[in-house]
Amino acid sequence: MNTSTMTSQSAFDGSRLRVLLLVELHEGAQQRFLEAYEHMRGQVASVPGHLGDQLCQSVENPSQWLITSEWETAPPYLAWVNSEEHLETVKPMQQCVRDIRSTRYTVLRETGRAVPLGDRAGEQLQGTVRVGDGVIRHALTFTVKPGSESKVAEILAGYAPPRARVDDSTRLRRTTLFMHGNRVVRTVEVEGDLQSALRYVSRQPEVRAVEEALNPHLELSRDLTDPESARAFFIRAAMPAVHHVTRGGEEPAGLRRHALYYPAREGCGMALAKLLSQQDETAADDPASPVHRSTVFHRDDLVVRLIDTLDPETDPVRALGIHGTRKAAVLARLLDGAALGVAGPVASERDATRLLAHTEMALITDRTAAES
């Protein structure tokens, strides 16, 4: 494999993680914020994988604060930040906040602290420099009331897209929407700053009109005129990308975008996301694989895999993200077959074809920015 042309980014590389939260408070909320943080840090200290955190206040502007936290690896942080427990824990702090920006980094090198040289030394720091493609990938997911699926698909397919250029450094590249039953998944690709792009999109009249039209059909109600309600909804809807790989070399003609839906057994979502990520990493080195590009999104017990591929039915096993009978058996154990309407093991290509038919999400719209 030509590693100079392959793009691979993963939350499963075993690296230590540092999270930065830049917070701007409402005027006069400093003391309430500090008290809320004191309450929160006692709870987060017991979360598995959490190593420590710091709260810093700006020297120049007392309304600006910085929270840094360190985690053994990315998966325990993602499990915590996407949990209902986290949402309830940070609610008192959120009420003090005017604006918040979050960034996440794996630790590549450090000075001033000895790094353990034992068995876990290789897991502590990011081993190699990542080479990205300048694109940030993110997804949102939510459910709609049963019976409203066709109306929701009509709403999501019919709106005019916003202008792609957000500012001098940020552009929207691609937005793709899928549905599986009453589950909606919206994936976005952005050049530049993801949070700037999401805020820009949320302010566009055509997008706001779509969001308002969706409100009566949502299973989880929201009030977009209430900042706290809107923030809680989108926090619950966030589905971060935990792995992305693009095979090196020239992109083949005729690639099509698909999304595959993998409901996991209770408590198995992270393990399922890791399995698919590892299989996609291996497939990127296999010229026979039909998948040119893959992104794995994960939240709770739901995994969605976005693939750019030629006809997935030509090799359904690899299109599903598995190769070999043993891996297929592991996938079957992690999947909630009842949620897919499928029972029995995945032991043959026929079984994989059967399962692929149940995991395929319906494409609602796929929009690529013209100026990208």
Side-chain angles (χ1 to χ4, degrees):
M1 177 173 55
N2 187 348
T3 56
S4 64
T5 58
M6 189 191 82
T7 299
S8 178
Q9 299 163 263
S10 182
F12 302 111
D13 64 1
S15 302
R16 224 168 47 233
L17 182 74
R18 183 172 293 277
V19 181
L20 306 181
L21 289 176
L22 184 60
V23 181
E24 185 172 346
L25 302 183
H26 293 298
E27 195 64 37
Q30 287 90 339
Q31 186 59 38
R32 282 194 297 125
F33 180 74
L34 180 59
E35 291 169 357
Y37 172 79
E38 289 292 342
H39 175 71
M40 182 207 72
R41 74 170 182 164
Q43 294 178 279
V44 73
S46 63
V47 175
H50 178 258
L51 299 177
D53 55 74
Q54 289 183 325
L55 175 66
C56 310
Q57 187 177 20
S58 169
V59 174
E60 292 85 8
N61 183 351
S63 292
Q64 290 184 345
W65 296 63
L66 175 69
I67 301 176
T68 71
S69 63
E70 193 165 352
W71 298 77
E72 289 180 356
T73 58
Y77 167 75
L78 293 172
W80 158 247
V81 79
N82 289 330
S83 68
E84 286 296 317
E85 180 186 1
H86 171 263
L87 197 61
E88 290 301 313
T89 299
V90 301
K91 186 179 293 184
M93 292 177 59
Q94 294 278 12
Q95 294 169 351
C96 305
V97 170
R98 176 186 293 121
D99 190 28
I100 186 168
R101 299 178 67 84
S102 173
T103 53
R104 306 165 188 177
Y105 300 85
T106 52
V107 181
L108 184 65
R109 299 289 185 271
E110 64 180 356
T111 304
R113 184 169 68 178
V115 178
L117 297 178
D119 293 340
R120 298 188 59 220
E123 300 175 1
Q124 291 283 320
L125 300 181
Q126 179 185 323
T128 59
V129 176
R130 294 190 182 96
V131 179
D133 56 4
V135 178
I136 302 171
R137 297 166 175 88
H138 189 66
L140 296 171
T141 185
F142 52 88
T143 55
V144 298
K145 296 173 183 176
S148 68
E149 293 89 349
S150 59
K151 180 61 178 177
V152 167
E154 180 184 335
I155 292 170
L156 293 173
Y159 75 97
R163 183 171 55 89
R165 184 168 294 280
V166 176
D167 54 37
D168 290 342
S169 59
T170 300
R171 290 191 299 176
L172 305 173
R173 278 177 53 102
R174 191 169 183 174
T175 301
T176 317
L177 286 106
F178 299 90
M179 291 185 70
H180 190 284
N182 70 330
R183 168 76 60 180
V184 177
V185 173
R186 174 190 294 157
T187 69
V188 296
E189 295 181 357
V190 172
E191 287 182 13
D193 183 70
L194 174 64
Q195 294 185 34
S196 294
L198 295 179
R199 291 175 187 178
Y200 162 80
V201 168
S202 69
R203 294 194 299 265
Q204 302 311 301
E206 57 269 38
V207 175
R208 294 185 69 88
V210 168
E211 297 294 345
E212 291 295 339
L214 286 175
N215 280 345
H217 306 294
L218 298 177
E219 284 198 317
L220 181 64
S221 63
R222 65 184 182 183
D223 179 3
L224 295 180
T225 64
D226 177 6
E228 187 173 332
S229 174
R231 183 185 298 118
F233 178 86
F234 286 110
I235 287 174
R236 287 189 174 100
M239 197 176 194
V242 294
H243 185 270
H244 174 78
V245 63
T246 300
R247 178 184 297 160
E250 184 177 351
E251 182 170 311
L255 284 180
R256 293 175 56 201
R257 177 151 290 188
H258 299 261
L260 302 178
Y261 173 80
Y262 303 81
R265 295 180 187 272
E266 185 176 355
C268 294
M270 189 68 76
L272 177 55
K274 185 174 183 178
L275 171 68
L276 294 171
S277 300
Q278 291 171 336
Q279 290 291 286
D280 279 341
E281 196 75 19
T282 301
D285 201 16
D286 181 1
S289 172
V291 179
H292 179 77
R293 185 181 296 110
S294 172
T295 307
V296 177
F297 299 95
H298 166 246
R299 181 181 183 91
D300 302 327
D301 291 327
L302 176 63
V303 180
V304 170
R305 185 164 157 267
L306 190 70
I307 59 174
D308 290 338
T309 180
L310 301 173
D311 185 0
E313 294 185 3
T314 60
D315 193 340
V317 174
R318 286 188 173 91
L320 275 171
I322 53 175
H323 181 50
T325 303
R326 292 181 62 185
K327 295 298 182 183
V330 174
L331 176 68
R333 287 198 301 269
L334 295 174
L335 276 174
D336 182 354
L340 283 172
V342 176
V346 183
S348 67
E349 184 170 307
R350 178 177 296 180
D351 294 334
T353 303
R354 175 172 54 91
L355 186 57
L356 183 65
H358 289 269
T359 59
E360 181 88 16
M361 302 190 77
L363 175 65
I364 304 303
T365 182
D366 184 16
R367 297 172 173 177
T368 303
E371 61 261 47
S372 294

